[in-house]
Amino acid sequence: MSATKLLVLGIVHLSGGAHGYQVRSELQSWGAESWAKIKPGSIYHALKKAAADGLLTEHAEPGNSGPERVLYRATARGRDEMVELVRDGLRRTHDADMLNASIAMLPMLTRTDAIAQVNERVARLEAELVGQAKGWENPNPDIPEHVRDQAELWAGHARTELEWAKSLSKRLSEGAYTMADDPGSWRTVHDPLKMRF
Amino acid sequence: MSATKLLVLGIVHLSGGAHGYQVRSELQSWGAESWAKIKPGSIYHALKKAAADGLLTEHAEPGNSGPERVLYRATARGRDEMVELVRDGLRRTHDADMLNASIAMLPMLTRTDAIAQVNERVARLEAELVGQAKGWENPNPDIPEHVRDQAELWAGHARTELEWAKSLSKRLSEGAYTMADDPGSWRTVHDPLKMRF
DNA sequence: GGCCAAGTAGTCAAATTGGAATAGTCTCTA
DNA sequence: TAGAGACTATTCCAATTTGACTACTTGGCC
């Protein structure tokens, strides 16, 4: 799941440098344990991997108090990759984890870009709902009845998501949130994590 | 994810013995590629693991045509474990994969049991929605605004699922589907996969 | 009869995830 | 002041997942 990658990169970017435990606590404080069910091992692995891939840099820090730790900092490539992941997660349907992670990192995008991606999602969801309704007309007889009924649930989820995405797009158009190209965004503020969004 | 385990055990049980490729194709024919995004490697691994755990037995089959293959058959313990997994998946919220897999294997349960589990889910979803509405009154100020708005989406999904679960419970009460304790169920029919549900 | 495409069946190394285990610090409190 | 418990920070390895790869059979089709 690249949701882990996105979240980890995102937190490091937002805090302008972080070590593993910090990423973990930040996620926790966002109430993220419930959706992003990320275990410590995954966080540290993702950080190391991202460093190996040149998306982050590693700086050993002598443990002034407590055990020693490794500070990670964002690189330009890391930022580009992360922005791409957010854009992708907003568009791609059928991937709840990526959507959640992308929304958490929404202010990484410029306002117009975010709106475009969300609108793309809206279009895809609408197309899928139409497609499903069509497929419904002559159902595959190999599929057991109760499995077919499951489709109702998916359609319901798709409709919920559709409405929500539309309203998000609207809120964004009306200037909600501090986006990357707004004054006071994470790009210009010293400690974005403490920023009032 | 134990959804893989459940699906694999379930297909082997339903077909009264199956090899890896068969499990794979069966899942595909159910249109399961979309929700259960299970790759071949995972299926073969799950089968081996289940056999090692005594949930399935392995029978080497000389390849009469094509490469040789391994036939897996269900054991009593395997059936018990699987039924437990289905019950659990129906009750447990916040685990879409398990819910999907459990619904696919719904007819493994007796009618009254299935109704009880679905009703339990309904109760849990209702409690969660109430809890969320309460938490909404004094939100944690550490959480960025856009992350808080995400909660709306989850609530929407929960409401969708709630309505769907209620209607499923109703359908079950009205005698829909062929459940484990109904005449002609997978327990008594020779080749349940070819059964008209 | 040779060859290609599609279908059948499964293996394997590499990547990722899970979560217990380790280890040091700080803070009470009896 | 010793010891219990909470917090900080990370490591480690087993379990699982991914998806590319192997290999064999069948059935056309030229």
Side-chain angles (χ1 to χ4, degrees):
Chain A
M1 206 170 346
S2 55
T4 306
K5 185 180 175 184
L6 172 49
L7 252 1
V8 164
L9 282 181
I11 301 259
V12 171
H13 271 83
L14 280 179
S15 36
H19 46 91
Y21 191 78
Q22 211 176 325
V23 172
R24 193 186 169 183
S25 337
E26 201 60 41
L27 280 176
Q28 220 142 44
S29 89
W30 287 17
E33 333 82 44
S34 46
W35 41 285
K37 0 116 198 128
I38 307 181
K39 306 295 180 291
S42 310
I43 293 173
Y44 288 96
H45 168 74
L47 284 168
K48 270 178 199 147
K49 176 82 197 312
D53 291 351
L55 306 178
L56 299 176
T57 56
E58 271 175 326
H59 309 269
E61 289 247 303
N64 47 0
S65 87
E68 75 170 25
R69 48 200 202 172
V70 183
L71 185 71
Y72 291 89
R73 287 186 175 285
T75 67
R77 275 198 47 221
R79 199 211 48 188
D80 293 348
E81 173 108 11
M82 189 199 43
V83 168
E84 232 13 82
L85 283 174
V86 176
R87 290 163 49 88
D88 201 64
L90 284 178
R91 270 173 284 146
R92 189 208 254 65
T93 59
H94 304 295
D95 193 340
D97 287 328
M98 266 308 263
L99 175 60
N100 281 320
S102 294
I103 292 166
M105 297 300 151
L106 192 62
M108 302 258 131
L109 303 186
T110 62
R111 187 171 300 276
T112 45
D113 192 14
I115 293 174
Q117 307 311 318
V118 173
N119 286 345
E120 168 70 18
R121 187 184 198 86
V122 167
R124 290 187 187 189
L125 286 169
E126 275 167 350
E128 279 175 26
L129 279 166
V130 169
Q132 221 207 3
K134 253 192 198 124
W136 180 232
E137 284 158 22
N138 47 349
N140 175 359
D142 277 354
I143 302 182
E145 197 192 349
H146 61 283
V147 175
R148 260 191 324 252
D149 280 4
Q150 212 171 11
E152 261 178 58
L153 177 58
W154 306 330
H157 279 317
R159 278 188 296 267
T160 299
E161 216 181 277
L162 179 61
E163 286 319 306
W164 182 85
K166 277 185 188 167
S167 87
L168 175 60
S169 174
K170 185 148 166 274
R171 279 200 299 281
L172 281 168
S173 307
E174 288 163 353
Y177 319 126
T178 305
M179 303 300 288
D181 51 350
D182 291 331
S185 86
W186 63 283
R187 288 217 232 183
T188 51
V189 162
H190 170 63
D191 186 358
L193 280 176
K194 298 293 159 271
M195 196 166 92
R196 287 300 99 238
F197 282 93
Chain B
M1 208 172 345
S2 54
T4 307
K5 186 180 174 184
L6 172 50
L7 253 1
V8 164
L9 281 181
I11 301 258
V12 171
H13 271 83
L14 280 178
S15 36
H19 47 93
Y21 190 78
Q22 211 176 325
V23 172
R24 192 184 169 183
S25 335
E26 201 61 40
L27 280 176
Q28 218 142 46
S29 89
W30 288 17
E33 333 80 46
S34 46
W35 43 283
K37 359 114 198 129
I38 307 181
K39 307 294 179 292
S42 310
I43 293 174
Y44 289 98
H45 168 76
L47 284 168
K48 271 178 198 147
K49 175 81 197 314
D53 291 352
L55 306 178
L56 298 176
T57 55
E58 270 174 327
H59 308 270
E61 290 247 302
N64 47 359
S65 86
E68 74 169 27
R69 48 198 202 173
V70 182
L71 185 72
Y72 292 89
R73 288 187 174 284
T75 67
R77 276 197 48 220
R79 198 212 48 190
D80 294 348
E81 173 108 10
M82 187 199 43
V83 167
E84 234 13 82
L85 283 173
V86 176
R87 291 164 47 89
D88 200 64
L90 284 178
R91 270 174 284 147
R92 190 207 254 70
T93 59
H94 304 295
D95 193 339
D97 288 328
M98 267 306 265
L99 175 60
N100 281 321
S102 294
I103 293 167
M105 297 301 152
L106 193 63
M108 302 259 135
L109 302 186
T110 62
R111 187 171 300 277
T112 45
D113 192 16
I115 293 174
Q117 306 312 318
V118 174
N119 286 345
E120 169 70 18
R121 187 184 199 87
V122 167
R124 289 188 188 189
L125 286 169
E126 276 168 350
E128 279 174 27
L129 278 166
V130 168
Q132 220 207 5
K134 253 194 197 122
W136 180 232
E137 284 159 23
N138 47 349
N140 175 357
D142 276 354
I143 303 181
E145 196 190 350
H146 61 281
V147 175
R148 262 193 321 254
D149 280 3
Q150 212 171 12
E152 261 179 59
L153 176 58
W154 306 330
H157 279 318
R159 277 189 296 266
T160 298
E161 217 180 278
L162 180 60
E163 287 319 307
W164 182 85
K166 277 186 188 166
S167 87
L168 175 60
S169 174
K170 184 148 167 276
R171 280 200 299 280
L172 282 168
S173 307
E174 289 163 352
Y177 319 127
T178 304
M179 303 300 288
D181 51 348
D182 291 331
S185 85
W186 64 282
R187 289 216 233 182
T188 51
V189 163
H190 171 62
D191 186 358
L193 281 175
K194 298 291 159 275
M195 197 166 90
R196 286 301 97 239
F197 283 91

